[in-house]
Amino acid sequence: MTETKRQLPSKYDHKEVERDRYTFWVDGEFFKATNDETKEPYSIVIPPPNVTGRLHLGHAWDTTMQDTIARMKRMQGYDVLWLPGMDHAGIATQAVVEAELKKEGKSRYDLGREKFVETVWEWKDEYANFIREQWGKLGLSLDYSRERFTLDEKLSDAVQEVFIRLYEKGLIYRGEYIINWDPQTKTALSDIEVIYEEVEGKFYHMRYPLKDSDEYIEIATTRPETMLGDTAVAVHPDDERYQHLIGKKVILPIVGREIEIVADDYVDMEFGSGAVKITPAHDPNDFEIGNRHNLERVLIMNEDGTMNENAGKYKGLDRFDCRKQIVQDLQEQGVLFKIEDHVHQVGHSERSGAVVEPYLSTQWFVKMQPLADRAIELQKSNDKVNFVPERFEQTYLHWMENIRDWCISRQLWWGHRIPAWYHNETGEVYVGKEPPKDIENWTQDEDVLDTWFSSALWPFSTMGWPDEESEDFKRYFPTDVLVTGYDIIFFWVARMIYQSLEFTGKKPFNDVLIHGLIRDSEGRKMSKSLGNGVDPMDVIDKYGADALRYFLLTGSTPGQDLRFYWERVEAIWNFANKIWNASRFVLMNIDDMEYDDIDLSGELSLADEWILTRLNKTIEHVTHNTDKYEFGEAGRYLYNFIWDEFCDWYIELSKLTLQGKDEKKKQTTLSVLAHVLDQTLRMLHPYMPFITEEIWQMLPHDGESITVQAWPKVNEQFTNEEAVEKMEKVMNVIKAVRNIRAEVNTPMSRKVTMYIKATDEMNEAQLEASRHYIERFCNTDELTIAQTVDVPEQAMSAVVTGAEIFLPLEGLIDLEEEIARLEKEREKWESEVALVDKKLSNDGFVKNAPEKVVEAERKKRVDYEEKLRLIEERLAQLKK
RNA sequence: GAGCCGUUAGUUCAGUGGGAGAGCGCUUGCUUGACAGGCAAGAAGUCACUGGUUCGAAUCCAGUACGGCUCACCA
């Protein structure tokens, strides 16, 4: 149905255009995967955002790319599933809720585990709604009927299944090791959750006295408080300085413990004094050395980072207060004799920012080597995961090749509880989905799993796995593409790949499209502390989701970072406004035209043929580049086609026909206008879904929504390169005239007399055929087109390919200036001719360059020389 | 210490073997009946540097400088 009167306001109102549209799409079920067997499936799973809060520009970027792909594939006839969902984000969410509780002066312990988890669920529900609302504002074509949450019953079942199978296979084990401990959130962390930052610290040099001797051994440390847990001093076995000391005892200052001097290859003789204090309970290397030498492990800290009873008089002090105190004490005792400034890397918790403590603790681990081997093997096969851009495959492989075991237990309450029970008396471990039968004798592990343990299963747990017969799993897994930032290749992409290989035997996705980070206009990371974050919802409010999306899609190339610029978003709003007004023009002219009235079989004007040819080129280019995920290139091409070619040229050219008397031609041109706009809107739709749907609905159309219309195809019938060449010739004449008129300040509104001297019969005929365009665009009152023209001296001239143009503008022309101008022109063409000649007289060029290139140069020479000849003739005439 | 990315117009970024491009900004002119958030014309760049490959390099290779990122157990 199309209304008879199509009146649009002259200003594009993004709020009006975007309001209610999302509801229309969702209610119409246009985004629902159909399981239609006649179509090929295409699937994407969303990287599930954390339920901790609002989406930021990074999310907007990531999801917009996915939406663009999904919308295009849908239009290309695929049965598209884009599966939405969210991540419980264990530590992040728990930290946020705990912070909220703290405001009320409460801690999670005040509530107890059950009540606390309940509170987090409430929080989750609230924020999940926020997130859905934001997805809607962005216009994401998600299939909500399949929305998942990592803590859903089915997904939790998948998590347990994976844990148990890995345990039974010996790929999950429990043990006491040095892990990264966050004393603030009081949980273990995996290696990648630790962020190393350069810190200006101190290097403390100490002398440990030997037992029954006056000798000392010199050691140095950045963490003096750990000396309370020292159980040895190590030197290199080949170090001549210390040969006589190996096996001797040292009296540990303050503590008074006797500790041994051991020999170990790990020690670097060149570094410092060549002797190292060994604290097996607080340093991973020392732990290893401790194992080799059977050393005692003395833990000196509590879980909250305060000192424990093994710290003697320092018990109860915070680790950093203890450091100050112990430094003072050791200095007084003469043990600590030198303090140097020392810049070194200190690990911080990714979430809480607290300084991470290497800490001896019993945790669960995934044995990585066998899983990693399989993933590395995959990349050597023909069936590998394609990273876009390719270089990220190296990043990924490097990490996989240097993999270390993954600590997966977290001392948190929010997450998947570890399905392990310990026998109260025997300490026996039981792992299984169901609790042991004599449950009263068993205690379940208190810990939950690293949140990434469940996200690693996302592409298949969301599709119904472990039920491998479930319809979605069979149809939509493996997925086609995963879109994510380079910052989580290790956290997530890598883990999905090896878990998927292990449990489904397939890679989880064909392609991984990697993007960068969003930065502010000065190139800084957006962060809360800098206060330079931009809320995508503010951008949408000011300029609309379409403008934001187009900005995100075209602002950078794959893998590069993107700076946010309000000015650019505004410029894109202008583009939307341009499209709006071009459409307004079309709608004003087509009256009650229906979709079936669009008829391109009539006599096409030169401009019609030109724009249809250009449309084909655009379809080809945009399709090809969007397929390659080159949204920037595709978007720019479309932008230029719409603005420069369709609006600035074709609409203007079409006015001639529309204002003419020939009704048949008029109908054809109207059809071309409607057709080109329709096809253009379809191509633009994945980029700017709202405005394109709005306009498409007002245009003559067939169907309920543009979201499910067919993607444009090249129509060879309308490719006419000859027409393009002719049209360009006319455009060059028009541009040259505009140029001259600008030179002498003759407004385009003033009518002029004009002569065109064509160089030959063909050019004359072609230009004559386009007389109406030239008359109109050059605003002539009298136009002569001929091979010989009688031109008054008082005229300005210009040469174009195939013709010379004369504008007699008596009174406006200064003959001297005109001569000077033409001489400059002559110089220009002389140097151009020289350049071409240089190339063509180079044997190497003529012999080696492709025939096409050489031919083009020859054509240029003919053209340039003719231009030069015409200018010289004119100059001779003027100088006479 | 290892690896990766970037260096192109005032600015933010495209381009990637055959004559330097876009948006914004700047200059000039336009009440052109879709749009003044517009139209038209223009100024503006030894494409970081040095070598090499090539008939031809901003584009490929090697190195240098500067900026940024990632990984790595140096006490």
Side-chain angles (χ1 to χ4, degrees), chain A residues 11 268 271 563 578 581 584 636 643 739 832 842 850 864:
Chain A
K11 192 180 140 177
D268 177 0
F271 190 82
R563 291 195 193 193
K578 188 76 186 174
N581 276 291
R584 187 163 165 258
R636 270 184 299 276
W643 201 311
N739 217 326
E832 292 293 346
N842 180 343
Y864 296 172

Short mmCIF file of all heavy atoms in Angstrom, two decimals, chain A residues 11 268 271 563 578 581 584 636 643 739 832 842 850 864, chain B residues 12-14 18-19 33-35 37-39 42 55 75:
data_model
loop_
_atom_site.label_atom_id
_atom_site.label_comp_id
_atom_site.label_asym_id
_atom_site.label_seq_id
_atom_site.Cartn_x
_atom_site.Cartn_y
_atom_site.Cartn_z
N LYS A 11 13.53 18.27 6.68
CA LYS A 11 14.65 17.94 7.56
C LYS A 11 14.49 16.52 8.11
O LYS A 11 13.43 16.16 8.61
CB LYS A 11 14.71 18.94 8.71
CG LYS A 11 15.98 18.85 9.51
CD LYS A 11 15.98 19.88 10.63
CE LYS A 11 16.58 19.27 11.87
NZ LYS A 11 16.68 20.21 12.95
N ASP A 268 70.79 -16.97 38.22
CA ASP A 268 71.60 -16.31 37.22
C ASP A 268 72.81 -15.69 37.92
O ASP A 268 72.68 -14.78 38.73
CB ASP A 268 70.75 -15.22 36.54
CG ASP A 268 71.54 -14.42 35.52
OD1 ASP A 268 72.74 -14.72 35.33
OD2 ASP A 268 70.95 -13.52 34.91
N PHE A 271 73.42 -11.87 37.65
CA PHE A 271 72.48 -10.90 38.19
C PHE A 271 72.70 -10.66 39.69
O PHE A 271 72.79 -11.60 40.47
CB PHE A 271 71.04 -11.39 37.96
CG PHE A 271 70.01 -10.34 38.27
CD1 PHE A 271 69.69 -9.35 37.34
CD2 PHE A 271 69.38 -10.31 39.51
CE1 PHE A 271 68.76 -8.38 37.63
CE2 PHE A 271 68.45 -9.32 39.81
CZ PHE A 271 68.14 -8.36 38.87
N ARG A 563 39.23 6.12 16.56
CA ARG A 563 39.02 7.29 17.41
C ARG A 563 37.60 7.81 17.24
O ARG A 563 37.12 7.90 16.11
CB ARG A 563 39.98 8.40 17.02
CG ARG A 563 41.41 8.08 17.36
CD ARG A 563 42.25 9.33 17.29
NE ARG A 563 43.65 8.96 17.32
CZ ARG A 563 44.63 9.83 17.53
NH1 ARG A 563 44.35 11.10 17.72
NH2 ARG A 563 45.88 9.44 17.55
N LYS A 578 20.96 13.98 3.56
CA LYS A 578 21.06 14.03 2.10
C LYS A 578 20.19 12.94 1.47
O LYS A 578 19.43 13.19 0.54
CB LYS A 578 22.53 13.83 1.71
CG LYS A 578 22.81 14.06 0.26
CD LYS A 578 22.83 15.53 -0.05
CE LYS A 578 22.98 15.79 -1.54
NZ LYS A 578 22.86 17.22 -1.84
N ASN A 581 16.57 13.81 1.74
CA ASN A 581 16.09 14.81 0.82
C ASN A 581 16.07 14.32 -0.62
O ASN A 581 15.20 14.73 -1.40
CB ASN A 581 16.90 16.09 0.96
CG ASN A 581 16.37 16.93 2.09
OD1 ASN A 581 15.27 17.47 2.01
ND2 ASN A 581 17.11 16.99 3.19
N ARG A 584 13.06 12.48 -0.78
CA ARG A 584 11.95 13.42 -0.78
C ARG A 584 11.68 13.89 -2.22
O ARG A 584 10.54 13.96 -2.66
CB ARG A 584 12.33 14.59 0.12
CG ARG A 584 11.25 15.58 0.36
CD ARG A 584 11.60 16.44 1.56
NE ARG A 584 10.74 17.60 1.57
CZ ARG A 584 11.12 18.80 1.16
NH1 ARG A 584 12.37 19.00 0.77
NH2 ARG A 584 10.27 19.80 1.18
N ARG A 636 32.23 3.74 1.97
CA ARG A 636 32.68 4.94 1.27
C ARG A 636 32.22 4.96 -0.18
O ARG A 636 31.81 5.97 -0.71
CB ARG A 636 34.21 5.05 1.32
CG ARG A 636 34.74 5.81 2.52
CD ARG A 636 36.25 5.95 2.43
NE ARG A 636 36.91 4.65 2.43
CZ ARG A 636 37.21 3.97 3.53
NH1 ARG A 636 36.91 4.45 4.70
NH2 ARG A 636 37.80 2.80 3.46
N TRP A 643 25.94 10.34 -2.90
CA TRP A 643 26.04 11.80 -2.83
C TRP A 643 26.45 12.42 -4.18
O TRP A 643 25.78 13.30 -4.71
CB TRP A 643 27.03 12.22 -1.73
CG TRP A 643 26.83 13.62 -1.25
CD1 TRP A 643 26.70 14.73 -2.04
CD2 TRP A 643 26.70 14.07 0.10
NE1 TRP A 643 26.51 15.84 -1.25
CE2 TRP A 643 26.51 15.46 0.06
CE3 TRP A 643 26.75 13.44 1.34
CZ2 TRP A 643 26.36 16.24 1.23
CZ3 TRP A 643 26.61 14.21 2.50
CH2 TRP A 643 26.41 15.59 2.44
N ASN A 739 33.89 26.23 -14.39
CA ASN A 739 35.20 26.71 -14.01
C ASN A 739 35.49 28.10 -14.56
O ASN A 739 35.90 29.00 -13.84
CB ASN A 739 36.24 25.72 -14.55
CG ASN A 739 37.37 25.56 -13.58
OD1 ASN A 739 37.73 26.52 -12.91
ND2 ASN A 739 37.91 24.37 -13.49
N GLU A 832 52.69 17.48 -19.26
CA GLU A 832 51.99 16.19 -19.29
C GLU A 832 52.42 15.37 -20.50
O GLU A 832 52.67 14.17 -20.40
CB GLU A 832 50.47 16.40 -19.33
CG GLU A 832 49.87 16.99 -18.05
CD GLU A 832 49.94 16.06 -16.86
OE1 GLU A 832 50.22 14.85 -17.05
OE2 GLU A 832 49.75 16.54 -15.73
N ASN A 842 60.52 4.89 -23.37
CA ASN A 842 61.28 3.93 -22.56
C ASN A 842 60.96 2.52 -23.04
O ASN A 842 59.86 2.01 -22.86
CB ASN A 842 60.88 4.13 -21.09
CG ASN A 842 61.62 3.16 -20.18
OD1 ASN A 842 62.18 2.17 -20.63
ND2 ASN A 842 61.60 3.48 -18.90
N PRO A 850 51.97 -4.01 -18.93
CA PRO A 850 50.83 -4.67 -19.55
C PRO A 850 50.31 -3.83 -20.72
O PRO A 850 50.33 -2.60 -20.67
CB PRO A 850 49.77 -4.71 -18.44
CG PRO A 850 50.50 -4.42 -17.18
CD PRO A 850 51.78 -3.74 -17.51
N TYR A 864 46.24 14.58 -25.03
CA TYR A 864 47.00 15.72 -24.51
C TYR A 864 47.55 16.58 -25.64
O TYR A 864 47.56 17.80 -25.56
CB TYR A 864 48.15 15.26 -23.62
CG TYR A 864 47.74 14.55 -22.35
CD1 TYR A 864 48.70 13.93 -21.54
CD2 TYR A 864 46.40 14.50 -21.95
CE1 TYR A 864 48.34 13.28 -20.39
CE2 TYR A 864 46.04 13.83 -20.80
CZ TYR A 864 47.01 13.22 -20.01
OH TYR A 864 46.65 12.57 -18.89
P U B 12 45.50 14.02 13.94
OP1 U B 12 45.80 13.64 15.34
OP2 U B 12 46.52 13.86 12.89
"O5'" U B 12 44.19 13.26 13.47
"C5'" U B 12 43.11 13.06 14.40
"C4'" U B 12 41.98 12.36 13.69
"O4'" U B 12 41.53 13.18 12.59
"C3'" U B 12 42.35 11.04 13.02
"O3'" U B 12 42.39 9.99 13.97
"C2'" U B 12 41.23 10.90 12.00
"O2'" U B 12 40.03 10.47 12.61
"C1'" U B 12 41.05 12.35 11.55
N1 U B 12 41.82 12.65 10.31
C2 U B 12 41.19 12.41 9.10
O2 U B 12 40.06 11.98 9.02
N3 U B 12 41.95 12.70 7.99
C4 U B 12 43.24 13.18 7.98
O4 U B 12 43.79 13.39 6.90
C5 U B 12 43.82 13.39 9.27
C6 U B 12 43.11 13.12 10.36
P C B 13 43.21 8.67 13.66
OP1 C B 13 43.07 7.77 14.81
OP2 C B 13 44.56 9.05 13.17
"O5'" C B 13 42.35 8.06 12.47
"C5'" C B 13 42.96 7.33 11.45
"C4'" C B 13 42.01 7.27 10.30
"O4'" C B 13 41.88 8.57 9.69
"C3'" C B 13 42.44 6.37 9.16
"O3'" C B 13 42.08 5.03 9.44
"C2'" C B 13 41.65 6.94 7.98
"O2'" C B 13 40.32 6.49 7.98
"C1'" C B 13 41.68 8.44 8.29
N1 C B 13 42.76 9.16 7.59
C2 C B 13 42.61 9.44 6.23
O2 C B 13 41.57 9.07 5.67
N3 C B 13 43.58 10.11 5.57
C4 C B 13 44.67 10.49 6.22
N4 C B 13 45.60 11.13 5.53
C5 C B 13 44.86 10.21 7.61
C6 C B 13 43.90 9.55 8.25
P A B 14 42.82 3.86 8.70
OP1 A B 14 42.51 2.62 9.43
OP2 A B 14 44.22 4.22 8.42
"O5'" A B 14 42.00 3.82 7.33
"C5'" A B 14 42.66 3.98 6.11
"C4'" A B 14 41.63 4.02 5.02
"O4'" A B 14 41.40 5.41 4.68
"C3'" A B 14 42.08 3.36 3.73
"O3'" A B 14 41.77 1.99 3.73
"C2'" A B 14 41.27 4.13 2.69
"O2'" A B 14 39.93 3.69 2.64
"C1'" A B 14 41.33 5.54 3.27
N9 A B 14 42.51 6.29 2.81
C8 A B 14 43.56 6.74 3.57
N7 A B 14 44.47 7.39 2.87
C5 A B 14 43.99 7.35 1.58
C6 A B 14 44.48 7.86 0.37
N6 A B 14 45.62 8.53 0.27
N1 A B 14 43.76 7.63 -0.75
C2 A B 14 42.61 6.95 -0.65
N3 A B 14 42.03 6.43 0.44
C4 A B 14 42.78 6.67 1.53
P G B 18 49.33 0.62 -8.84
OP1 G B 18 49.64 2.04 -8.59
OP2 G B 18 48.12 -0.01 -8.39
"O5'" G B 18 49.49 0.38 -10.38
"C5'" G B 18 48.87 1.25 -11.30
"C4'" G B 18 49.77 2.42 -11.57
"O4'" G B 18 51.08 2.00 -12.03
"C3'" G B 18 49.20 3.34 -12.64
"O3'" G B 18 49.44 4.67 -12.26
"C2'" G B 18 49.89 2.80 -13.95
"O2'" G B 18 50.31 3.86 -14.76
"C1'" G B 18 51.17 2.11 -13.43
N9 G B 18 51.41 0.77 -13.98
C8 G B 18 50.63 -0.33 -13.92
N7 G B 18 51.19 -1.38 -14.46
C5 G B 18 52.41 -0.93 -14.89
C6 G B 18 53.45 -1.61 -15.55
O6 G B 18 53.50 -2.80 -15.87
N1 G B 18 54.53 -0.77 -15.83
C2 G B 18 54.58 0.55 -15.50
N2 G B 18 55.67 1.21 -15.84
N3 G B 18 53.61 1.20 -14.88
C4 G B 18 52.57 0.40 -14.62
P G B 19 49.52 5.94 -12.82
OP1 G B 19 49.02 6.42 -14.10
OP2 G B 19 50.88 6.25 -12.33
"O5'" G B 19 48.55 6.29 -11.65
"C5'" G B 19 48.48 7.53 -10.92
"C4'" G B 19 49.48 8.53 -11.43
"O4'" G B 19 49.27 8.68 -12.83
"C3'" G B 19 49.29 9.91 -10.83
"O3'" G B 19 50.37 10.10 -9.97
"C2'" G B 19 49.35 10.90 -11.98
"O2'" G B 19 50.51 11.72 -11.91
"C1'" G B 19 49.53 9.99 -13.21
N9 G B 19 48.62 10.30 -14.31
C8 G B 19 47.39 9.77 -14.56
N7 G B 19 46.85 10.20 -15.66
C5 G B 19 47.77 11.09 -16.16
C6 G B 19 47.74 11.88 -17.33
O6 G B 19 46.87 11.94 -18.19
N1 G B 19 48.88 12.66 -17.44
C2 G B 19 49.92 12.67 -16.55
N2 G B 19 50.94 13.48 -16.83
N3 G B 19 49.98 11.92 -15.47
C4 G B 19 48.87 11.17 -15.33
P G B 33 15.68 26.81 -6.15
OP1 G B 33 14.55 27.78 -6.05
OP2 G B 33 16.75 26.88 -5.15
"O5'" G B 33 15.10 25.34 -6.16
"C5'" G B 33 14.22 24.91 -5.12
"C4'" G B 33 12.94 24.41 -5.70
"O4'" G B 33 12.38 25.47 -6.54
"C3'" G B 33 13.07 23.23 -6.66
"O3'" G B 33 13.03 22.02 -5.95
"C2'" G B 33 11.84 23.39 -7.54
"O2'" G B 33 10.66 22.95 -6.91
"C1'" G B 33 11.79 24.90 -7.70
N9 G B 33 12.54 25.38 -8.88
C8 G B 33 13.58 26.27 -8.88
N7 G B 33 14.04 26.51 -10.10
C5 G B 33 13.25 25.74 -10.92
C6 G B 33 13.27 25.59 -12.32
O6 G B 33 14.02 26.12 -13.15
N1 G B 33 12.30 24.69 -12.76
C2 G B 33 11.43 24.04 -11.94
N2 G B 33 10.58 23.21 -12.55
N3 G B 33 11.40 24.16 -10.62
C4 G B 33 12.32 25.03 -10.19
P A B 34 13.32 20.60 -6.63
OP1 A B 34 14.57 20.70 -7.39
OP2 A B 34 12.10 20.12 -7.28
"O5'" A B 34 13.57 19.68 -5.35
"C5'" A B 34 12.54 19.47 -4.39
"C4'" A B 34 13.14 18.89 -3.13
"O4'" A B 34 13.83 17.67 -3.48
"C3'" A B 34 14.22 19.77 -2.49
"O3'" A B 34 13.62 20.70 -1.60
"C2'" A B 34 15.06 18.74 -1.76
"O2'" A B 34 14.44 18.32 -0.57
"C1'" A B 34 15.04 17.56 -2.74
N9 A B 34 16.15 17.57 -3.70
C8 A B 34 16.18 18.14 -4.95
N7 A B 34 17.31 17.97 -5.58
C5 A B 34 18.07 17.24 -4.71
C6 A B 34 19.39 16.74 -4.79
N6 A B 34 20.17 16.89 -5.85
N1 A B 34 19.86 16.04 -3.73
C2 A B 34 19.06 15.88 -2.66
N3 A B 34 17.80 16.30 -2.47
C4 A B 34 17.37 16.98 -3.53
P C B 35 14.34 22.09 -1.31
OP1 C B 35 13.40 22.89 -0.50
OP2 C B 35 14.85 22.61 -2.59
"O5'" C B 35 15.59 21.70 -0.39
"C5'" C B 35 15.38 21.29 0.96
"C4'" C B 35 16.64 20.69 1.51
"O4'" C B 35 17.09 19.62 0.63
"C3'" C B 35 17.85 21.61 1.56
"O3'" C B 35 17.82 22.42 2.72
"C2'" C B 35 19.00 20.62 1.61
"O2'" C B 35 19.20 20.11 2.91
"C1'" C B 35 18.49 19.51 0.70
N1 C B 35 19.06 19.59 -0.66
C2 C B 35 20.25 18.90 -0.93
O2 C B 35 20.78 18.25 -0.02
N3 C B 35 20.80 18.98 -2.17
C4 C B 35 20.19 19.69 -3.11
N4 C B 35 20.76 19.74 -4.32
C5 C B 35 18.98 20.41 -2.87
C6 C B 35 18.45 20.32 -1.64
P G B 37 22.03 25.22 7.28
OP1 G B 37 20.67 24.92 7.59
OP2 G B 37 22.92 25.85 8.26
"O5'" G B 37 22.78 23.90 6.72
"C5'" G B 37 24.20 23.70 6.94
"C4'" G B 37 24.45 22.20 7.01
"O4'" G B 37 23.92 21.73 8.25
"C3'" G B 37 23.67 21.51 5.87
"O3'" G B 37 24.53 20.95 4.89
"C2'" G B 37 22.67 20.54 6.56
"O2'" G B 37 22.89 19.21 6.20
"C1'" G B 37 22.94 20.73 8.05
N9 G B 37 21.73 21.05 8.79
C8 G B 37 20.75 21.95 8.54
N7 G B 37 19.84 21.98 9.45
C5 G B 37 20.25 21.01 10.37
C6 G B 37 19.66 20.59 11.57
O6 G B 37 18.63 20.99 12.09
N1 G B 37 20.42 19.58 12.17
C2 G B 37 21.59 19.06 11.68
N2 G B 37 22.18 18.10 12.37
N3 G B 37 22.14 19.46 10.57
C4 G B 37 21.41 20.43 9.97
P G B 38 25.50 20.42 4.31
OP1 G B 38 25.63 19.08 4.88
OP2 G B 38 26.56 21.41 4.39
"O5'" G B 38 25.07 20.25 2.80
"C5'" G B 38 23.79 19.69 2.47
"C4'" G B 38 23.19 20.45 1.32
"O4'" G B 38 22.78 21.78 1.77
"C3'" G B 38 24.11 20.77 0.16
"O3'" G B 38 24.31 19.65 -0.65
"C2'" G B 38 23.35 21.89 -0.53
"O2'" G B 38 22.24 21.40 -1.21
"C1'" G B 38 22.87 22.69 0.69
N9 G B 38 23.82 23.75 1.04
C8 G B 38 24.57 23.86 2.19
N7 G B 38 25.32 24.92 2.21
C5 G B 38 25.06 25.54 0.99
C6 G B 38 25.57 26.74 0.45
O6 G B 38 26.39 27.52 0.94
N1 G B 38 25.05 27.01 -0.80
C2 G B 38 24.14 26.22 -1.45
N2 G B 38 23.75 26.64 -2.64
N3 G B 38 23.64 25.11 -0.95
C4 G B 38 24.13 24.83 0.26
P C B 39 25.67 19.42 -1.41
OP1 C B 39 25.60 18.07 -2.02
OP2 C B 39 26.81 19.78 -0.55
"O5'" C B 39 25.58 20.51 -2.55
"C5'" C B 39 24.62 20.37 -3.59
"C4'" C B 39 24.76 21.51 -4.56
"O4'" C B 39 24.49 22.76 -3.87
"C3'" C B 39 26.16 21.71 -5.12
"O3'" C B 39 26.45 20.80 -6.15
"C2'" C B 39 26.06 23.15 -5.60
"O2'" C B 39 25.30 23.25 -6.77
"C1'" C B 39 25.28 23.79 -4.44
N1 C B 39 26.18 24.33 -3.41
C2 C B 39 26.77 25.59 -3.64
O2 C B 39 26.52 26.18 -4.70
N3 C B 39 27.60 26.12 -2.71
C4 C B 39 27.85 25.45 -1.58
N4 C B 39 28.67 26.01 -0.69
C5 C B 39 27.28 24.16 -1.32
C6 C B 39 26.46 23.65 -2.26
P G B 42 38.12 23.67 -9.81
OP1 G B 42 39.04 23.82 -10.95
OP2 G B 42 37.59 22.34 -9.47
"O5'" G B 42 38.75 24.28 -8.49
"C5'" G B 42 39.88 25.11 -8.61
"C4'" G B 42 40.14 25.91 -7.36
"O4'" G B 42 39.00 25.98 -6.49
"C3'" G B 42 41.20 25.34 -6.43
"O3'" G B 42 42.49 25.56 -6.98
"C2'" G B 42 40.98 26.19 -5.19
"O2'" G B 42 41.49 27.49 -5.35
"C1'" G B 42 39.44 26.27 -5.17
N9 G B 42 38.85 25.32 -4.22
C8 G B 42 38.04 24.25 -4.51
N7 G B 42 37.64 23.60 -3.45
C5 G B 42 38.24 24.27 -2.39
C6 G B 42 38.19 24.04 -1.00
O6 G B 42 37.57 23.15 -0.39
N1 G B 42 38.94 24.95 -0.28
C2 G B 42 39.67 25.98 -0.83
N2 G B 42 40.33 26.76 0.01
N3 G B 42 39.72 26.22 -2.14
C4 G B 42 38.99 25.34 -2.85
P C B 55 63.37 -4.20 -15.22
OP1 C B 55 62.99 -5.01 -16.37
OP2 C B 55 64.76 -4.16 -14.71
"O5'" C B 55 62.92 -2.70 -15.48
"C5'" C B 55 63.69 -1.86 -16.33
"C4'" C B 55 62.87 -0.66 -16.72
"O4'" C B 55 61.78 -1.10 -17.57
"C3'" C B 55 62.18 0.04 -15.57
"O3'" C B 55 63.05 0.95 -14.94
"C2'" C B 55 61.02 0.74 -16.26
"O2'" C B 55 61.42 1.91 -16.91
"C1'" C B 55 60.62 -0.32 -17.30
N1 C B 55 59.56 -1.22 -16.82
C2 C B 55 58.24 -0.71 -16.73
O2 C B 55 58.03 0.47 -17.03
N3 C B 55 57.26 -1.52 -16.32
C4 C B 55 57.52 -2.78 -15.99
N4 C B 55 56.51 -3.54 -15.59
C5 C B 55 58.83 -3.31 -16.07
C6 C B 55 59.82 -2.51 -16.49
P A B 75 62.89 -8.74 38.84
OP1 A B 75 61.65 -8.03 38.62
OP2 A B 75 64.17 -8.27 38.28
"O5'" A B 75 63.03 -8.96 40.40
"C5'" A B 75 64.14 -9.58 40.97
"C4'" A B 75 63.67 -10.82 41.69
"O4'" A B 75 64.47 -11.90 41.22
"C3'" A B 75 63.83 -10.70 43.20
"O3'" A B 75 62.70 -11.26 43.86
"C2'" A B 75 65.12 -11.45 43.49
"O2'" A B 75 65.03 -12.23 44.64
"C1'" A B 75 65.30 -12.38 42.28
N9 A B 75 66.69 -12.40 41.79
C8 A B 75 67.60 -11.40 41.82
N7 A B 75 68.77 -11.74 41.31
C5 A B 75 68.58 -13.07 40.93
C6 A B 75 69.44 -14.00 40.32
N6 A B 75 70.70 -13.74 39.99
N1 A B 75 68.94 -15.22 40.06
C2 A B 75 67.66 -15.48 40.39
N3 A B 75 66.77 -14.67 40.96
C4 A B 75 67.30 -13.47 41.21
#
